[in-house]
Structure formats: C-alpha cells, structure tokens
Amino acid sequence: MSSTTDPRAAESAPPKRAFHPSMLLYDQRYRSITIQIFALFLLMLGAAWLIDNVINNLRLLGRTFSFNFLSQSAGYDINQRPIEYNSQMTHGRAALVGFLNTVILAVMGCALATILGVLAGVLRLSKNWIVSRLVTVYVEVFRNIPTLIWILIFGAVMAESMPAPSAFRGDDPASSMIFDAIAITNRGVYVPAILFTTELGVLPLGPVSPSLNWVLVLAVLVAGIFANKVLIDHATRVQNATGIRPKTWWKSLLVLFGPVILIFLALGAHLEYPELRGFNFVGGTHLRNSLLAMWLGLGIYTGAFIAEIVRGGILAISKGQTEAAFALGLQPGKTMRLVILPQALRVIIPPLISQYLNLTKNTSLGLAVGYMDLRSTLGGITINQTGRELEGMLLLMAVYLAISLTISGLMNVYNSRVKLKER
Amino acid sequence: MSDTHAQTVAYVRNEMLPPADPPLRESGAVKWLRENLFSGALNTALTLAALAIIWYALAAIGPWLLNSVWSAGSLAECRAILDGTSGACFSVITDRWHQLLFGFYPPQHYWRPVLTLALLFAALAPVLFPALPRKMMIFSATYPFLAYHLLWGGSVWLPVSAALGFVAGYLAYVILARVSTLVAVFAAILAPVFWWLFAAGPFDQALSSVMPFGLEFVRSDRFGGFLISLIIGISGISLSLPIGIVLALGRQSDMVFIKSVCVIVIEFIRGVPLITLLFTASLLLNYFLPPGTTFDLILRVIIMVTLFASAYMAEVIRGGLAALPKGQYEAADALGLNYWKAQRLIIMPQALKISIPGIVNTFIGLFKDTTLVVFIGLLDPIGLSNAIRADTNWNGIYWELFIFIAALFFIFCFGMSRYSMYLERKLKTDHK
C-alpha cells in the first residue's frame, strides 16, 4: 500500500479474491456457515431417526397418535375438586381439575414461601444472636434436605401425629377445636367456610364456571385497590405541590375494605362451622392431608431459599446508601421503604421468580402423598387407563412449559422495567 | 508550691493504681448478653420467643431421642423394650443398615461398590489438587468405564468397546488436525458415533465369546439405597458441567442456528419438571429407540438427570460469562488468541470462578433431585424406606427412617456447600 493511498479507501475495499471452496474451512467469514450447516445436518439426521423410530414403534404396537382419549369418560374420582367433577366426566375435564389443583397449590405455596422467606431473611440479619442462629438452622436444615423428604415428613406428621376425629367426642374429649372453629385431625384440617344466603348463580365461562358471588367480591376488591392507588397518587401530588402529605390511612382502609364488607353483608355472608357428626367432621372447608403436606413441605422448603435471596438482596445494597439516607434526615423506616427496598428488590425479584417457578414445578411431586394435581390426573391415572403415554406426556410437558414460559415472560417484562438505565 | 502541698497532706500516693475492672454491666458475658440478646424491648421479645421455640422443640424431641433403642429385631420387640415409654426405635437402622446403603446388591459383592467409591477419590485427586502429577489424569479418564464394570460387572469388553469410541474420536482428530482443525472436529464427532452404532456391538460380542473375562453381572434392579443416589448424583454432576459449558457457549454464540438450538433446549428443559423427564426416560424412551432396543433404566435416568442439570448449569455459567467485563474478551482478541484459546485460557477460568456458588448449588440440587427416582420404581433411600415399612417387622415406623435419610442427605449437601465457600475464598484474587 503506497503512502498516498487514503487509508479509508483501503479499508472499504478489501482485496477481492475469487471464492474458493477451501475458504469454507479456512476463512473466518465463511467458516461459521459451514459449522451451522454441519450442525443442522446432524440435527436433522437425529430428528429423522427419532421420528422414524416413533412411527415404526407406533405401527408395531398398532397405535395411532391422537388426542381423542381426552373426550372419553375418565372413570376415576378426584378427591379435591375446585370445579364440578365426577367420574363420568371426560379425561380432559379430569386434567383440567388436576391443573386447577396444581395452580391452587402453587399459589398457596408461593404465598407461604414468600412470607416465611422474607421473615427469615430479615431475621437472619438481626443483631439478636440467638434469633439469627435459630433462623440459620432453619435455612440450612431445609435447604440441604430434599423437598420430597419434607413432603413425606409433613404427610406423616399430619397422618400419624394428629388426633383422630373420635378424640374430639365425649364430655371430656382428648382434643378440642381451636376457637371452636378449626379442627385439626388425622384426616385433614377442617376450617369454617364462608357461605352466602343469596346466590347470584354462576358465571357461564365454558368449563370453569365460577360462582358469581365470588366474582363480584373479587371485582369489588380489585376496584378498591385501584381506587386506593388513585387516592395515594393524589396524596403524592398534593405533597409535591404543598409539601404537606394529607393523611390517607383511614381513607385507604375505607376504600379497600368498606365496599367488600358491604357486599358480604348484602349477600348475607355467614360462616359455616365444621362439626363432629358420626365418625367424621361435617361442614366447613376440608383441607386434605395431601394438600397440607404439599403446602407445608413446598412452602417451608422454598421459604428457606427465599430467605437467602432476601438476605443477599439486602446485603447487596451498600452501607453508603443507608448513611446517605440518614444524612438526608430520613427515619429508619422510611430509609428502608424509600431507599433500601427499591434497590434490593431489583436484586431480589429475578431469583425470587425462579424460586416460584421451582415451586410450581415441584408441585408435580404430589403423587408422593396422593395429591391429585395435573401430574397425578393427566400424567398418572389417565395415562395408565388409556395407555396413551406419548400423547399424555407431551401434553403434560406442554402445560408445564406454558406455565413456566408465562412466568418467566412476566419476569423479563418486570426486569426490563426496573433495570438500571446504563449508558 | 508542691513542697507545701507535700508537707500539709498526710499521705500522697506514689505509684499508679491498677486499672479497675470495667463495671459488671459493661464486661464479659453480661455485656454480651445485653448487646446481643436484650438490647431493646423488641430484641428481648425475640430472644424470649426463640428460647421458647427451642425449649418446646427440645421438650418434644429430646426425651424421645435420648430414650432410643438401638438393638431390636422388629418394631414389636422395640416397643416391648421401651415398655410404654416414648422413645425412638433406631434399631431399624442397625437392622436394615446394609439395605439402606446398597439396596438388594448381592452381599458377597459389597466390596465392589466400596472399591468404586474408594477409587473415585483417587480419580478425583488430580482434578482437585493441581500439585499431583498430570499422568494421574489417565486414570481419571478411564475411571468411568472401570466404575461401570465394577458396579454392574458382566463382560469386561462392553466398557472397553464403549471407551474405544472415544479413542476413535481422538485418533480421528489427531490425524485430521493437520488438514484442518474444523474437519478434525467434525470427524471427532462423527467417528465415535459410527463406532458405537456399527462396530462396538460386533467387537464386544466377538471378544466376549473368545475371551469371556469379567466380574459377575449384577442386574440394575438389585441396585438401591444410597448406592443409587450416589451413582446417579455423581454421574450427573460430572457430566452436567461440560455439557452445561457447551450449552452456555452455544447460547452466547454469534451463529444464529446454534444459538437458537441451545436456547430452545435450555428453555425446554428448564420449563418442565424433572419428574416428567424421568417418566419420559422410563415410559417413552422405547418409542424413540429402534424397535426391540432396551437399555438400562439407571442409565436412562442418569442421561435425563444430566440433561436436566446441564440446562441449569448452562444458565449459571452464562451468568458468569455475562458478569465478566467486556475488556477481558477484547484483551484476548488483542493478544491474537483464537476463540477456543481465548475461552480456555482467559474467559472460562474467570467465568467459572465467578459461577462457583451457582455451580455448587446446581450440584446440590441435582443430588437432592435423585430422590425423585422413587417415582419410576427405583429403590432409592425413600423407596427402600417404603419397602422396609411394608415389611411386617417394621410396619408403622416413620420418623427414624426419615431422620436417618434426611441426616445423610444433609451431611452430603451441607458438606458440598461448605466446600464451595472454601473454594470461593481460596480462588478469590480481588482485594475487597
């Protein structure tokens, strides 16, 4: 290259060389194409081999690939039914019941795990020696023993160590109900149920038909939360304009709970208490041992992991932030709420969501204590009865995958919203 | 002035007083108690609540544990010894000790799993301690095949022919590396596949009929207890790390096709519960293999558990790769290192160091997840505890078995997490 040549011109016009097949191997620009084509070739070969095997195997077994079994009669009972179900209904309906049971357990488990985890995570940072040691023992013991063992242990505690319903009988019973309302027995826990005198009927939504009463209560609650947010936004605006924040707590309470209480009164809500009749308790809501064992096992196990996440999140915020907040004159409570937590949450939320995902996937261990979740209905009895392993397992995986992708999709949206804006 | 003073005052101290002890409230145990346990109303309440919890737990479990029976042949016998008092029957552990450790493995062959475990440490030594001679790595490389033969037995030529597949891949690489590295890598992938598909079977059969060496064959359904947990756990742990690294690199790759395949694999595996993969291994794998092929259930489970852990491992390592400053990549480029050299010498050592806690957490998770094999009928410790309870001698025994199994898992997992903390401290190079 002569010194008179403009270096930019030289850069924009690389020396032209005719394409030669050996460049596919040696030239960086084309090599990645070769590698990808080779990988594609291997993948297609593997996929073709697998699909060919499946077709051959199905032919040898005299089977077809179809999801017709979902509309056949199931013929088995499910002990926990959030929606109407009996053994005459279809396998598809049974799978739906199982799915709802999975969701119920996952939501209950996540709630318990979050409460326990946040509490334990904060207490483990406590200056109180004995409390922090006790919480450390909780975290280490639960984290290092498989969740399946915990589920079985809680199942055994419920079934073996709790009094039988007959212990509640007689003038001087061996056991008595807590507050005359909750009975803990070896057949499960009986708690009061909320009943309405006025039934509004059901919301026709296809297979799932929720009671209109509860839909109404939920709608009012959501509206209340929304109204409360408007109220708080208004208070913040007033504070920004005048420097004085109006008192909102009693308005908030009124807006949040007033309408719900009114709805309950209007619909004639009352509690139905469980009572001992014959050999068992009748009335109220029956929480089965299987549900409780799964709930406690998964919730307390996952809580230990969440405790570590919360602790790590709080420790990740440098001490300078607290000191800066104090220097600005913020009180400790406000420092936590306005300075530490918003930053700690950014660290805490992603691993927290992945713990929720783990818990949701671990609900598939329900079979160990006989909890009728999606795995036990669709992936268990339905597959055994119809012999449709391939279709059943594919469907099962697809449902779990959909749940997981939904949760991680939401997490990504949240993450991109709270992410620190960097250069 | 001072003179006057000395004359007027009757007594002047000449030497220093020894320093007085600090007040009782500000020293020793009292101070510690005041600061750590009773520094305020809330703290005092917390302390009292914690003490109450400890007291109740000890009162509930302590007497039961202390009053335990260690030698009895059955639950009835144990209850007779206890004579109505509350106490633990740990005699079930002493009675079924071998079963909990080895399952139904033939007792005269117990030396085989024990020797396998002992050799494992010899094989791990050169990996964990760089000071040892590098030649010991040859033993580490042959260990998996040796371990398979020791545990399962059968013809010695089966593991040999499997190992020859890797040798074939290595030879193909060495021969073709002179032509082109890329061609050599392709050949190193294809050669073992062809060897295993077409040559390994006849080779094994031919040599087995000519020279039938080997230990007595033990069927997979005889395996059980902690033996099975350790086999699945250790194989999964040692295989998932390299596969996870490959998947993580694939996900970071510039090649669109490779990247999307890796993303799909990782997200799919992370999206489904392990138990569905295990059911796939036990129920569905026959659909995906040529008609009439069977292969060992434990092996299938190991494959599935490894795949499952690899996907998690890939995400952990991806985190490590992402945490590495971009300057490291650029520095490697500036030194003129190619992709693999940059990865091997600069990127991976740092990325792996950053991800040690995550990697060990994945290992611990994998080891705990080995308990799920009970659902597909393998007799892991939980499966055995059910089997023991089904026996009339020990019908109705729960806590003792749970405590024993939980304690063993706790020791393994807690040990692993402490080791990772030690490793983290040892490898820490920044001076924060």
Side-chain angles (χ1 to χ4, degrees):
Chain A
M1 205 185 298
S2 72
S3 56
T4 50
T5 322
D6 180 17
R8 271 209 204 134
E11 201 177 75
S12 64
K16 285 269 182 198
R17 265 179 55 194
F19 178 78
H20 191 265
S22 73
M23 286 165 85
L24 282 177
L25 284 183
Y26 298 108
D27 194 316
Q28 288 247 326
R29 285 170 296 176
Y30 304 111
R31 198 160 63 178
S32 73
I33 298 174
T34 321
I35 296 175
Q36 295 191 55
I37 289 173
F38 179 74
L40 179 67
F41 171 73
L42 276 188
L43 192 80
M44 302 236 299
L45 212 64
W49 185 69
L50 288 179
I51 292 172
D52 182 54
N53 282 335
V54 171
I55 292 170
N56 276 338
N57 279 313
L58 284 174
R59 204 187 53 229
L60 280 178
L61 291 168
R63 286 214 192 126
T64 51
F65 183 83
S66 91
F67 287 97
N68 285 341
F69 69 97
L70 285 178
S71 52
Q72 291 165 10
S73 169
Y76 61 90
D77 257 322
I78 298 177
N79 53 22
Q80 181 180 304
R81 296 177 291 267
I83 56 172
E84 202 184 328
Y85 173 82
N86 61 49
S87 59
Q88 307 302 316
M89 291 182 174
T90 62
H91 282 294
R93 180 87 177 175
L96 182 66
V97 175
F99 172 74
L100 288 176
N101 281 342
T102 294
V103 172
I104 289 172
L105 178 57
V107 171
M108 282 171 66
C110 288
L112 176 67
T114 312
I115 295 170
L116 271 180
V118 171
L119 208 62
V122 171
L123 282 183
R124 204 178 164 186
L125 289 173
S126 150
K127 285 196 187 70
N128 190 318
W129 185 83
I130 198 163
V131 169
S132 68
R133 290 308 132 103
L134 197 64
V135 175
T136 307
V137 168
Y138 155 65
V139 169
E140 292 296 349
V141 164
F142 272 83
R143 274 198 327 161
N144 287 310
I145 294 175
T147 173
L148 183 58
I149 293 181
W150 285 117
I151 291 169
L152 290 172
I153 287 177
F154 282 110
V157 167
M158 295 306 301
E160 301 293 319
S161 301
M162 297 302 163
S166 57
F168 291 81
R169 194 179 297 112
D171 292 330
D172 185 24
S175 314
S176 54
M177 289 160 74
I178 303 166
F179 304 128
D180 274 338
I182 301 169
I184 301 174
T185 75
N186 62 357
R187 295 186 193 176
V189 174
Y190 295 82
V191 294
I194 302 174
L195 294 184
F196 296 101
T197 37
T198 333
E199 282 291 345
L200 297 176
V202 293
L203 194 66
L205 268 182
V208 193
S209 311
S211 149
L212 257 183
N213 292 29
W214 284 111
V215 172
L216 194 64
V217 169
L218 203 68
V220 169
L221 196 65
V222 170
I225 291 171
F226 184 72
N228 184 40
K229 192 179 173 314
V230 171
L231 201 69
I232 287 183
D233 284 350
H234 172 72
T236 310
R237 268 201 306 281
V238 171
Q239 185 183 17
N240 288 346
T242 64
I244 300 161
R245 191 179 180 83
K247 286 243 181 302
T248 54
W249 63 268
W250 61 271
K251 287 186 206 156
S252 284
L253 280 182
L254 209 65
V255 166
L256 279 177
F257 296 105
V260 177
I261 292 171
L262 280 181
I263 280 282
F264 271 128
L265 289 178
L267 292 174
H270 57 272
L271 288 178
E272 184 198 35
Y273 291 99
E275 60 183 303
L276 190 60
R277 224 178 274 158
F279 292 107
N280 217 335
F281 279 90
V282 181
T285 303
H286 179 196
L287 304 173
R288 287 169 192 281
N289 276 342
S290 50
L291 174 69
L292 288 169
M294 290 298 291
W295 181 50
L296 293 174
L298 290 178
I300 302 180
Y301 173 80
T302 313
F305 286 85
I306 293 180
E308 281 302 273
I309 292 169
V310 170
R311 187 175 76 109
I314 294 175
L315 284 180
I317 306 309
S318 72
K319 205 159 170 7
Q321 298 286 327
T322 319
E323 290 165 354
F326 285 163
L328 286 176
L330 289 182
Q331 294 148 353
K334 278 200 170 161
T335 305
M336 196 55 163
R337 194 160 54 83
L338 298 174
V339 178
I340 307 294
L341 268 188
Q343 299 184 68
L345 275 183
R346 191 176 288 139
V347 184
I348 290 172
I349 296 277
L352 183 70
I353 303 268
S354 107
Q355 285 304 324
Y356 289 164
L357 265 175
N358 281 347
L359 191 148
T360 309
K361 285 188 285 176
N362 278 339
T363 55
S364 59
L365 304 182
L367 188 66
V369 284
Y371 185 71
M372 298 295 276
D373 68 333
L374 185 66
R375 228 301 275 126
S376 307
T377 54
L378 174 67
I381 305 176
T382 293
I383 282 184
N384 285 341
Q385 284 190 358
T386 59
R388 297 280 181 181
E389 299 109 5
L390 195 59
E391 296 90 335
M393 291 306 290
L394 284 179
L395 201 59
L396 187 66
M397 283 186 172
V399 173
Y400 278 115
L401 200 59
I403 298 176
S404 298
L405 291 181
T406 312
I407 297 180
S408 56
L410 291 178
M411 174 185 118
N412 285 342
V413 170
Y414 174 85
N415 252 356
S416 54
R417 270 183 55 189
V418 301
K419 201 163 71 179
L420 274 181
K421 303 290 181 286
E422 284 178 353
R423 61 197 156 91
Chain B
M1 177 124 178
S2 59
D3 281 352
T4 352
H5 191 68
Q7 283 155 10
T8 51
V9 178
Y11 170 74
V12 174
R13 191 188 294 280
N14 289 324
E15 71 276 8
M16 289 285 280
L17 269 175
D21 286 338
L24 198 58
R25 284 166 50 92
E26 291 302 328
S27 71
V30 178
K31 179 180 182 227
W32 186 88
L33 281 175
R34 250 163 46 84
E35 281 188 355
N36 290 303
L37 298 182
F38 302 102
S39 63
L42 176 70
N43 223 343
T44 309
L46 279 176
T47 304
L48 292 180
L51 285 175
I53 290 172
I54 295 171
W55 171 254
Y56 274 113
L58 284 183
I61 301 173
W64 181 78
L65 272 182
L66 288 176
N67 189 20
S68 53
V69 178
W70 287 87
S71 57
S74 70
L75 190 60
E77 202 179 310
C78 171
R79 295 222 165 113
I81 295 173
L82 284 173
D83 197 21
T85 57
S86 150
C89 286
F90 283 112
S91 43
V92 67
I93 311 295
T94 48
D95 194 41
R96 299 302 180 93
W97 169 252
H98 283 139
Q99 215 178 29
L100 281 166
L101 289 189
F102 298 109
F104 297 98
Y105 208 84
Q108 71 273 23
H109 292 307
Y110 279 166
W111 63 272
R112 280 158 57 175
V114 174
L115 179 65
T116 314
L117 189 65
L119 287 179
L120 173 71
F121 292 109
L124 275 181
V127 182
L128 294 182
F129 305 104
L132 289 169
R134 294 292 84 192
K135 285 226 169 106
M136 280 180 77
M137 286 297 240
I138 297 172
F139 176 69
S140 306
T142 49
Y143 176 77
F145 305 99
L146 184 65
Y148 171 82
H149 184 63
L150 273 176
L151 288 171
W152 273 272
S155 162
V156 76
W157 299 110
L158 181 66
V160 168
S161 63
L164 281 179
F166 289 102
V167 175
Y170 178 71
L171 285 181
Y173 180 83
V174 169
I175 293 169
L176 288 172
R178 266 174 258 151
V179 181
S180 153
T181 330
L182 195 60
V183 172
V185 170
F186 290 163
I189 295 171
L190 287 178
V193 172
F194 280 109
W195 170 267
W196 288 322
L197 279 181
F198 302 110
F203 174 83
D204 170 35
Q205 275 163 12
L207 278 176
S208 301
S209 55
V210 180
M211 289 179 282
F213 298 137
L215 294 163
E216 193 184 319
F217 180 63
V218 181
R219 285 207 323 271
S220 270
D221 54 4
R222 311 297 295 270
F223 285 67
F226 275 94
L227 177 60
I228 218 170
S229 300
L230 283 176
I231 291 176
I232 297 171
I234 292 173
S235 330
I237 285 171
S238 46
L239 290 172
S240 64
L241 186 60
I243 300 178
I245 292 177
V246 169
L247 280 175
L249 287 180
R251 196 172 180 167
Q252 298 283 78
S253 161
D254 297 330
M255 295 180 235
V256 183
F257 177 70
I258 306 261
K259 181 177 177 166
S260 43
V261 169
C262 288
V263 170
I264 291 171
V265 168
I266 291 173
E267 292 303 327
F268 172 75
I269 293 178
R270 274 160 42 92
V272 297
L274 175 58
I275 197 164
T276 59
L277 291 180
L278 290 178
F279 270 91
T280 307
S282 76
L283 290 174
L284 295 190
L285 219 56
N286 286 337
Y287 284 96
F288 292 108
L289 293 173
T293 337
T294 51
F295 79 98
D296 194 79
L297 184 57
I298 295 182
L299 211 58
R300 299 185 203 177
V301 168
I302 288 177
I303 293 173
M304 284 302 173
V305 168
T306 306
L307 279 181
F308 187 74
S310 303
Y312 283 83
M313 194 66 80
E315 285 301 276
V316 168
I317 293 169
R318 187 169 73 114
L321 288 172
L324 213 57
K326 206 159 173 0
Q328 297 292 329
Y329 292 89
E330 291 164 355
D333 285 346
L335 285 175
L337 296 177
N338 68 22
Y339 179 77
W340 292 109
K341 276 197 177 143
Q343 291 296 342
R344 190 162 56 84
L345 299 172
I346 303 211
I347 310 298
M348 268 302 147
Q350 302 184 68
L352 288 182
K353 192 180 81 183
I354 299 174
S355 14
I356 284 175
I359 291 175
V360 177
N361 277 345
T362 313
F363 284 166
I364 293 175
L366 187 158
F367 189 63
K368 285 188 295 182
D369 279 344
T370 58
T371 49
L372 301 198
V373 299
V374 66
F375 288 115
I376 54 169
L378 288 179
L379 287 173
D380 80 318
I382 292 179
L384 272 174
S385 76
N386 293 336
I388 291 171
R389 212 172 296 127
D391 185 346
T392 44
N393 276 343
W394 294 109
N395 192 0
I397 195 147
Y398 286 93
W399 315 115
E400 293 83 352
L401 284 170
F402 283 143
I403 288 175
F404 175 71
I405 299 167
L408 272 187
F409 269 103
F410 180 82
I411 290 169
F412 276 113
C413 298
F414 191 68
M416 267 195 269
S417 74
R418 291 291 124 160
Y419 179 73
S420 96
M421 284 175 164
Y422 157 77
L423 208 59
E424 235 180 301
R425 273 197 306 276
K426 200 180 96 175
L427 294 178
K428 196 168 190 175
T429 45
D430 54 343
H431 305 284
K432 266 185 193 167

